[in-house]
Every structure is written in structure tokens, then in C-alpha cells.
Amino acid sequence: MIVIILNGYPESGKDEFIKVAEKWHICYNYSTIDECKDICEQLGWDGVKDDKSRKMLSDLKQWYVEHLDGVFKDFTSEVQRVDKLMIFDIFFVVTREGKEINRFKEWLKENHYTNHYLFMSRGAWRDFGNDSDNKVLEVVKPDIYLNNNGDLAQLESSGT
């Protein structure tokens, strides 16, 4: 199983990229923000991703990382669980923070998982109002940089 760390600005096409990969591979899609989204939905959040809710999720995730090391624990546990199933070709982990990505890459290397870090971009950068989205390119350089300025057909023909 190959682990692909997928990062990019909001609406850069990360989910679409995974859907394209699923046409040729058996993929597992894991996002490090899902735990925080689940908590917020249980508390009444409507799931709409605007700048205000992105900030809320970013702040909650930062707390979860700093106080419980929850994201790293969840990630390592999930990789091991999914790997034991022996049915997936690719484990996609969608995440933002550079320190987190470096830590994931180090753990994956130590545990003999082939991994790549892919960064997706679309359009011009803007201030998203939270550190998680604004600082996605800090700390670690991507192995692959994909400029996704076309439609789904162009993304599919880009060599996924």
C-alpha cells in the first residue's frame, strides 16, 4: 500500500483527484479534519465550509493536536488498521499543516511505507482567515506539485 499525503488550498480539487485515482486503484480516503468535523456536526454545525467555519475547524484541530496529539495517533492507527486489510492500493491522507506532514512522512519512512507528498493548487491564493489554509506550503516541500486549473477531464488526463 502506498500512502499519498494530499494537501492543497480549499477547493483545489483534492476530492476530485481521489475520485480520478479510484478509477484505476482501490483507494482509501482519510482526512485529518474529519474527527473535528464530526464533533462540530454533533454540536449543530450545518457542514457548510465558509471562511468562518474553516477557522473554527482549524482552531479545534490545533487544540486537538497540541493537547492530545490526537491527529498523529489517529493517523498512525488508521494506516496500520487499513494496511492489515490488505485490499487497498493507495491510502490517501488529506491534511494541511506542514509540521504534521513532516511527522507523518517520518513515521511512514520508519515503518517502511512508500509515501509521496502531493500539493494541489487552483487559481490565485487568497487569505482564508485561518492558519491551516493560509500556511499549507510552509515547512515541507511537496514531492509533486499539481496545478489544477482545468476541468475534471483535464485533471484525469494529467497523468493520475
Side-chain angles (χ1 to χ4, degrees):
M1 181 178 77
I2 296 172
V3 178
I4 297 179
I5 301 168
L6 187 55
N7 188 5
Y9 294 113
E11 300 179 3
S12 60
K14 296 176 294 292
D15 291 331
E16 289 80 8
F17 182 85
I18 294 169
K19 287 177 187 172
V20 170
E22 288 174 333
K23 291 183 178 186
W24 293 281
H25 301 281
I26 301 171
C27 301
Y28 186 83
N29 184 1
Y30 174 79
S31 175
T32 61
I33 197 66
D34 283 348
E35 187 79 24
C36 295
K37 285 170 52 178
D38 290 346
I39 290 167
C40 291
E41 286 171 352
Q42 290 174 22
L43 296 173
W45 175 52
D46 61 6
V48 174
K49 287 188 183 177
D50 56 15
D51 286 353
K52 186 176 178 181
S53 64
R54 287 179 187 282
K55 170 101 171 90
M56 170 192 63
L57 292 168
S58 173
D59 290 348
L60 180 57
K61 183 178 174 187
Q62 184 176 350
W63 181 90
Y64 189 48
V65 167
E66 290 175 4
H67 295 277
L68 302 175
D69 198 22
V71 171
F72 183 74
K73 291 175 184 175
D74 293 346
F75 168 74
T76 57
S77 174
E78 193 69 359
V79 168
Q80 292 170 331
R81 184 189 73 76
V82 170
D83 190 29
K84 286 179 185 174
L85 297 174
M86 296 176 46
I87 58 173
F88 295 97
D89 302 320
I90 302 172
F91 181 107
F92 281 103
V93 56
V94 179
T95 194
R96 293 264 201 281
E97 295 78 11
K99 288 180 184 177
E100 195 170 86
I101 292 168
N102 277 336
R103 195 168 177 206
F104 288 178
K105 287 182 70 60
E106 183 179 312
W107 182 87
L108 290 164
K109 182 179 178 184
E110 288 172 1
N111 289 277
H112 310 288
Y113 287 99
T114 301
N115 69 91
H116 301 285
Y117 168 35
L118 187 149
F119 182 85
M120 293 187 70
S121 179
R122 174 183 288 164
W125 182 89
R126 70 173 181 86
D127 185 346
F128 295 99
N130 70 81
D131 286 345
S132 296
D133 290 324
N134 286 344
K135 298 180 178 181
V136 293
L137 278 173
E138 288 189 5
V139 181
V140 59
K141 181 181 176 190
D143 301 321
I144 304 163
Y145 185 94
L146 178 60
N147 190 0
N148 181 29
N149 284 325
D151 60 18
L152 189 58
Q154 289 170 315
L155 176 63
E156 192 166 340
S157 67
S158 68
T160 306

